[in-house]
């Protein structure tokens, strides 16, 4: 099978350097770019920007996810300038789940964050993206892409809306693919994005189907990244 999609791999955030180094070494076998989540499900981990810095040290490129709900205006710019300083070229802005403890700040929405970044000529090389959930009506999806992000991470995929998106949006369309394996299937069952889950043995089929509508795939395989990378190598 000829695969035209680009593959990115999602790092599983950790507070332990050795676990991160192990992931980076494995990911380099199939991709030159990682995506670094920011406090998934609202639980604290190491800073996504710090993890991205470690990825750069391994020769990888990094797309940093940033939860705008956690930051004041000044705090948001601190993070953006820090990312720019270490050489991050892509930021995915999202509101994020409520923090498991403490309060939200929410001075800056993802849309406002995009405007702030684009208004600063020092950040002109930084590309900014949004999460684009296709569970919403077309009208809401259209409103979102009218902000003209450089890329979108597409979740809750449906063929009908993917077909519409292909005709309506010219930026990079990245599909989110959560790979379920015998080792992680109980964990994956607890995740809300059921439309984005693919069983390991169906991976080639899922990739082939995605290539009709999408430019690239962000592959997530919590707790079993080695097995997932092995499967990806066989279909690339």
């Amino acid at each position: 099978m000829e695969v035209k999609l680009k593959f990115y791999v999602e790092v599983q955030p950790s507070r332990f350097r050795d676990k991160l180094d192990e992931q980076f070494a494995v990911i380099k076998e199939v991709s030159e770019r990682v995506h670094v989540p920011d406090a998934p499900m609202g639980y604290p981990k190491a800073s996504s920007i710090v993890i991205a810095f470690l990825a750069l040290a391994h020769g990888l490129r990094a797309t940093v996810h940033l939860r705008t709900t956690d930051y004041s205006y000044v705090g948001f710019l601190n993070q953006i300038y820090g990312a720019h300083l270490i050489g991050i070229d892509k930021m995915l802005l999202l509101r994020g789940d409520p923090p498991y403890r403490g309060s939200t700040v929410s001075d800056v929405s993802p849309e406002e964050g995009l405007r702030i970044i684009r208004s600063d000529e020092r950040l002109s090389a930084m590309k900014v993206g949004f999460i684009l959930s296709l569970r919403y009506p077309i009208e809401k999806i259209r409103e979102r892409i009218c902000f003209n992000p450089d890329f979108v991470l597409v979740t809750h995929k449906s063929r009908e809306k993917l077909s519409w998106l292909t005709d309506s949006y010219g930026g990079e369309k990245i599909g989110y693919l959560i790979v379920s394996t015998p080792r992680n299937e109980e964990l994956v069952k607890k995740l809300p994005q059921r439309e984005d889950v693919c069983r390991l043995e169906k991976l080639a089929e899922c990739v082939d189907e995605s290539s009709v509508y999408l430019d690239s795939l962000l592959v997530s395989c919590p707790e079993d990244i080695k097995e997932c990378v092995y499967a990806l190598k066989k279909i690339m």
Side-chain angles (χ1 to χ4, degrees):
M1 178 179 69
E2 182 182 358
V3 179
K4 298 180 180 179
L5 290 170
K6 294 180 182 178
F7 289 106
Y8 311 133
V9 181
E10 186 174 73
V11 174
Q12 185 172 351
S14 174
R15 296 187 295 269
F16 301 99
R17 174 73 177 267
D18 58 339
K19 291 185 177 181
L20 292 167
D21 287 339
E22 183 177 337
Q23 289 186 69
F24 297 143
V26 172
I27 290 169
K28 284 182 69 174
E29 298 180 30
V30 292
S31 180
E32 63 174 15
R33 179 176 293 275
V34 295
H35 276 237
V36 187
D38 187 16
M41 309 300 288
Y43 284 88
K45 299 289 184 181
S47 160
S48 58
I49 294 176
V50 171
I51 293 176
F53 180 73
L54 298 178
L56 296 179
H58 279 260
L60 290 159
R61 296 179 179 178
T63 299
V64 170
H65 297 198
L66 194 68
R67 291 162 43 94
T68 61
T69 193
D70 292 332
Y71 297 104
S72 65
Y73 183 92
V74 170
F76 174 78
L77 273 176
N78 282 343
Q79 298 301 308
I80 296 300
Y81 289 147
H84 175 67
L85 184 65
I86 66 171
I88 297 302
D89 60 348
K90 290 187 177 182
M91 300 290 299
L92 178 76
L93 304 182
L94 65 152
R95 284 183 175 81
D97 297 303
Y100 94 107
R101 183 177 296 176
S103 58
T104 60
V105 181
S106 299
D107 269 6
V108 180
S109 68
E111 296 81 7
E112 176 68 4
L114 173 64
R115 187 198 65 78
I116 291 169
I117 292 170
R118 288 189 173 165
S119 67
D120 190 330
E121 63 180 16
R122 292 168 295 185
L123 303 172
S124 60
M126 182 177 283
K127 296 186 180 300
V128 184
F130 295 156
I131 290 178
L132 191 68
S133 171
L134 299 190
R135 67 181 174 181
Y136 293 106
I138 290 291
E139 292 75 17
K140 290 291 185 182
I141 299 171
R142 183 183 288 111
E143 288 176 11
R144 192 116 167 102
I145 62 176
C146 278
F147 288 94
N148 196 29
D150 296 296
F151 63 94
V152 291
L153 178 59
V154 183
T155 66
H156 301 279
K157 298 182 290 294
S158 74
R159 289 185 181 181
E160 178 185 356
K161 291 178 180 177
L162 279 172
S163 179
W164 174 87
L165 185 64
T166 299
D167 295 331
S168 305
Y169 173 68
E172 184 183 11
K173 295 170 285 293
I174 308 170
Y176 191 44
L177 192 66
I178 304 169
V179 180
S180 174
T181 72
R183 183 177 177 182
N184 71 12
E185 60 183 347
E186 292 305 315
L187 172 62
V188 170
K189 285 178 183 178
K190 300 175 183 177
L191 301 177
Q193 304 100 325
R194 299 305 305 163
E195 302 91 335
D196 302 320
V197 173
C198 176
R199 294 195 60 81
L200 184 66
E201 63 270 19
K202 297 284 188 179
L203 184 58
E205 182 179 325
C206 293
V207 168
D208 189 45
E209 182 177 314
S210 297
S211 66
V212 177
Y213 305 105
L214 299 166
D215 303 302
S216 45
L217 277 177
L218 172 58
V219 179
S220 175
C221 191
E223 305 292 349
D224 203 6
I225 195 168
K226 286 184 178 180
E227 190 65 29
C228 181
V229 165
Y230 177 73
L232 280 173
K233 287 171 68 176
K234 291 196 294 185
I235 64 175
M236 288 178 71

